[in-house]
């Protein structure tokens, strides 16, 4: 997906979470280790919820911010979780799954930090800041929940 506006950025983020949710759900059905299977199921549900939450940003955002161009993103390396879900999560250990998911979320957070400092209008900067806070909060929740699951 080509990202040109902040509206595109929101859609791109939504699609990333949707893809990740589908992949995690698919892989959970292939995983035999109980603890990792539970983690994959939780992560799939979490990503599905994030997809819906990010979509709500688009409905509620200031149109001025949504239609603002995102020039700097065009040169940013795209984040691509397993584009074809050939069961990579099903083949990973509990810790490898956590590492991969945290890396994905860290990349999204880094992108939002980067764009927050480059947004030229207040409305766009506020939108990116809100998306950044959402991603940071959800990353903390994931870390907490994965640690609880690890302790099972």
């Amino acid at each position: 997906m080509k990202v040109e506006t902040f509206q595109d950025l929101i859609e791109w983020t939504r699609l990333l979470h949707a893809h990740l949710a589908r992949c995690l759900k698919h892989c959970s059905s292939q995983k035999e280790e109980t603890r990792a299977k539970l983690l994959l199921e939780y992560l799939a549900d979490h990503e599905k919820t994030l997809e819906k939450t990010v979509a709500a940003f688009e409905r509620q955002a200031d149109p001025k911010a949504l239609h603002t161009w995102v020039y700097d993103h065009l040169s940013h390396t795209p984040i691509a979780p397993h584009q074809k879900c050939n069961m990579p999560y099903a083949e990973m250990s509990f810790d490898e799954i956590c590492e991969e998911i945290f890396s994905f979320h860290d990349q999204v957070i880094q992108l939002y930090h980067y764009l927050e400092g480059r947004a030229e209008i207040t409305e766009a900067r506020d939108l990116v800041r809100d998306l950044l806070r959402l991603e940071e909060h959800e990353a903390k929740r994931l870390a907490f929940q994965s640690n609880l699951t690890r302790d099972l």
Side-chain angles (χ1 to χ4, degrees), residues 53-86:
T53 305
V54 170
F57 272 87
E58 187 172 7
R59 292 189 299 273
Q60 299 170 1
D62 185 321
K64 188 175 180 181
L66 289 174
H67 300 295
T68 299
W69 290 93
V70 184
Y71 296 108
D72 287 332
H73 176 68
L74 301 177
S75 63
H76 191 276
T77 304
I79 302 165
H82 306 287
Q83 290 300 316
K84 293 182 182 174
C85 191
N86 295 325

Side-chain angles (χ1 to χ4, degrees), residues 38-150:
L38 290 173
L39 176 64
L40 289 170
E41 290 171 353
Y42 169 75
L43 292 171
D45 290 342
H46 186 266
E47 292 299 328
K48 186 69 176 165
T49 301
L50 259 176
E51 173 196 2
K52 292 175 184 175
T53 305
V54 170
F57 272 87
E58 187 172 7
R59 292 189 299 273
Q60 299 170 1
D62 185 321
K64 188 175 180 181
L66 289 174
H67 300 295
T68 299
W69 290 93
V70 184
Y71 296 108
D72 287 332
H73 176 68
L74 301 177
S75 63
H76 191 276
T77 304
I79 302 165
H82 306 287
Q83 290 300 316
K84 293 182 182 174
C85 191
N86 295 325
M87 296 187 289
Y89 295 110
E91 298 167 4
M92 292 179 179
S93 70
F94 182 95
D95 290 331
E96 290 170 333
I97 294 167
C98 289
E99 186 178 319
E100 178 79 11
I101 296 301
F102 294 146
S103 173
F104 168 77
H105 282 276
D106 286 346
Q107 290 176 62
V108 173
I109 289 168
Q110 288 173 6
L111 172 62
Y112 285 156
H113 269 294
Y114 176 79
L115 292 175
E116 179 186 23
R118 284 156 182 78
E120 294 188 13
I121 65 168
T122 303
E123 295 85 355
R125 192 170 16 265
D126 291 345
L127 176 62
V128 173
R129 188 173 297 126
D130 290 343
L131 286 164
L132 173 61
R133 286 182 184 145
L134 170 69
E135 291 288 343
E136 288 174 333
H137 178 266
E138 294 304 316
K140 288 176 186 174
R141 269 187 59 204
L142 283 175
F144 179 76
Q145 291 296 336
S146 64
N147 283 334
L148 286 178
T149 305
R150 180 179 283 117

Side-chain angles (χ1 to χ4, degrees), residues 1 3 8-16 73 78-79 111:
M1 173 177 187
V3 175
D8 296 337
L9 179 68
I10 292 172
E11 180 65 7
W12 174 82
T13 304
R14 186 192 68 74
L15 290 172
L16 280 173
H73 176 68
I79 302 165
L111 172 62

